Amino acid sequence: QKYGGKVPYHRRPVTGKEYVDINTLIQQELRKAPRFLAACCESDGTDLAVLTTAPRGFKSGDRATWFVLFHNVAGTGYYLSPVGLEVLVDHGDLHVSRWQLRQVFYNGQYFASTGDLEGAFVANLLEVVRIEKPRAEVVLGSMRPRRPPGSPGPLQYEPQGPRYSVRNNRVTFQGWSFAFGMNPNSGPRLFDIRYRGERIVYELSLQEALALYGSNCPGGMSTRYLDGSFGIGRFAYELVQGLDCPYTATYVDRHYLAESETPKTNQNSLCIFEHDAALPLRRHFSDSPSLYYGGLQKNTLVVRTISTLINYDYIWDFMFHGSGAVEVRVHATGYISSSFLHGQGTNYGNRVGPHTLGTMHLHHIHYKVDLDVNGQLNSLETQDMEYELVKDPWSTQNTIERPYLRRERLEREDEAAFPLNTPLPRYLSFASPKTNKWGHPRSYRIQIVSFAGEHLPTSSSMERSISWGRYQLAVTRRKEEEPTSTSVYNQNDPWTPTVTFADFINNETITNEDLVAWISVGFLHVPHAEDVPNTVTVGNGVGFFLRPYNYFDEDPSVDSPDSVYFRSEQDAGACGTNPLACLPPIACAPRLPAFRYGGFLNL
């Protein structure tokens, strides 16, 4: 009923028990190639890590997965230590005893079985790259500190405690209020976002995270991870205080039900904190004709969670500004995925280790933004600039290129579907039929910050399963039967997708309707030497803003109690004149709670 048709069993996500049974089969098959494994990898197979890929075949009904094998060293990520061996397992039959290993790949060659691989090795028909078993202290990608701890860095503290309130899943902060939650599959989501009591957003939710790879190895070249199928919210583990979030942040447990008859808890897996951006929200120093200074520091409320999806860690931020703006941001960190370097491998990435190819890939993220700007009924308006050549009114023998504002109201969904990597109108707003004091429609502007790669060609047999990626922005009428842009079932049957986002866009009118903005952000990542041991967050963040545009009569932050203003004739060091002069003296560091971490429990 939910999807308007049958949902075949072969579309189901792979469970933990299924992975265990697959690994058992792989271990059985590896025992058929003992001399090869000893020669190539100093291994008997039991100490090799196995990494899944997805999707699992080429047509609906297939459930055959390439698994990539790596050296597994305790205490470090194995993702940078491929041994060159990959196996294709057909696990589509409902009887585990009928599962089969269909193909074996090693160093550019394909074999029908591990027995054939062993035979080719014994007959000296196989080029073997001998890789020593890495030692924990020198393994590529080790995150063990190389220097003793130094002096601690700056710490943020709250002189009079938090200025926000968290009650159950409801947050309030300086005019803002909203409810937060976590979907085990699609991850973080917010509802009923209000500023000064007026709802701005009904739903703001992550929908999907796509990682699409290139390689000259079968596992890498066929990988298109749809992370919602694995569990973006389910794999948001406990946050480390003082590093993942400020030490004094509020930490919240999240609960989910998956592959179990009882709920599981990821304790302290979501954090809420006020952040001093060390940047003025606005300021001005006046040097004439009157002398004064006025400004407001940029303090932001942040809701954050971090998902670890196999090798990658995604940092999900939702930020609330004193100007009435909402900022949504994601950073990617963690380990890159890699392939065994052979042949023309550098056509698909960079060499980052003795035998390791950092494989190129793109990260594309999809969000649902159900804006209700001054009510449910909104229209989509765009504004951009053009130049017009006019004669100077005061000197008619001369001309001037004058910029002017081109305004347009988009009437239908097809007009409001903006393809990826094409120019977007610089100002694009959800507009209310009501106006502000100055006669302009009360509006909220969508401003996207993204460096997306190229979308999968529409000729691909699986493209419709990720057709949301065609658009950097698409605006549709809100429908109860279109709650999400994808489904957990799209990963394992992308050829007959359970949900096809492109079908949401059917040229319906979008004037004075209840509208939803669907936003794609992302970036192309070509791994390089500096991605070892981990990808850094610097430069690897994308997102979007929801900014008031004539929604108010003036900047609402003028009412902030944090504002600073003083004139030249005043004593700026006086507490009554300048609140910055009233900060309490600190004789020693604030009293912090004892550090605790239980993130390795209940995995």
Side-chain angles (χ1 to χ4, degrees), residues 64-75:
T65 305
W66 279 103
F67 290 89
V68 185
L69 280 73
F70 298 81
H71 267 134
N72 190 12
V73 180

Side-chain angles (χ1 to χ4, degrees), residues 20 81 83 89 104 150 169 195 204 208 366 455 462 513:
V20 169
S81 302
V83 299
V89 176
V104 177
N169 71 327
Y195 190 64
L204 171 52
E208 186 62 278
H366 204 224
H455 179 62
M462 65 163 289
E513 298 285 353

Side-chain angles (χ1 to χ4, degrees), residues 7-13 59-63 92 492-493 496:
V7 183
Y9 192 55
H10 66 255
R11 296 182 187 174
R12 69 194 184 280
K59 64 182 186 306
S60 292
D62 285 354
R63 202 173 179 84
N492 292 334
D493 190 359
T496 310

Side-chain angles (χ1 to χ4, degrees), residues 53-103:
T53 64
R56 310 175 191 279
F58 293 99
K59 64 182 186 306
S60 292
D62 285 354
R63 202 173 179 84
T65 305
W66 279 103
F67 290 89
V68 185
L69 280 73
F70 298 81
H71 267 134
N72 190 12
V73 180
T76 190
Y78 62 79
Y79 312 102
L80 299 176
S81 302
V83 299
L85 183 63
E86 304 183 10
V87 295
L88 178 64
V89 176
D90 187 338
H91 51 111
D93 200 290
L94 297 184
H95 294 273
V96 176
S97 60
R98 298 176 189 161
W99 291 359
Q100 291 184 325
L101 190 146
R102 293 291 188 186
Q103 282 197 68

Side-chain angles (χ1 to χ4, degrees), residues 345-419:
T346 52
N347 288 342
Y348 310 98
N350 289 312
R351 181 181 180 182
V352 296
H355 306 286
T356 304
L357 175 71
T359 47
M360 65 180 292
H361 55 281
L362 55 82
H363 296 280
H364 285 181
I365 315 295
H366 204 224
Y367 290 91
K368 177 182 181 180
V369 187
D370 184 354
L371 283 150
D372 287 344
V373 179
N374 199 208
Q376 288 187 5
L377 302 183
N378 295 153
S379 300
L380 190 64
E381 296 191 347
T382 67
Q383 298 177 22
D384 215 327
M385 64 172 289
E386 289 188 4
Y387 286 98
E388 57 183 358
L389 186 65
V390 297
K391 290 184 177 181
D392 280 349
W394 65 92
S395 179
T396 55
Q397 69 271 25
N398 296 309
T399 59
I400 188 171
E401 294 81 12
R402 178 172 61 185
Y404 73 95
L405 198 58
R406 187 184 70 250
R407 303 175 188 266
E408 185 178 2
R409 174 168 289 190
L410 304 187
E411 303 287 343
R412 295 190 172 273
E413 289 179 343
D414 287 9
E415 298 175 73
F418 299 93

Side-chain angles (χ1 to χ4, degrees), residues 437-451:
K437 180 179 178 180
W438 315 114
H440 296 291
R442 299 186 69 190
S443 307
Y444 255 76
R445 175 189 175 195
I446 298 172
Q447 184 176 355
I448 299 174
V449 181
S450 178
F451 319 99

Side-chain angles (χ1 to χ4, degrees), residues 547-567:
R547 298 176 57 187
Y549 186 72
N550 290 319
Y551 185 83
F552 302 101
D553 298 330
E554 61 180 347
D555 176 11
S557 73
V558 295
D559 291 327
S560 172
D562 298 333
S563 295
V564 171
Y565 175 84
F566 48 82
R567 300 186 305 276

Side-chain angles (χ1 to χ4, degrees), residues 5 12 24 29 36 78 98 115 129 157 216 258 267 280 291 300 312 354 387 485 523 595-596:
R12 69 194 184 280
T24 299
E29 294 297 323
F36 162 76
Y78 62 79
R98 298 176 189 161
V129 179
Y157 82 106
N216 61 343
Q267 63 183 25
L291 307 179
T300 305
Y312 261 105
Y387 286 98
S485 61
F523 60 93
F595 183 91
R596 293 186 177 87

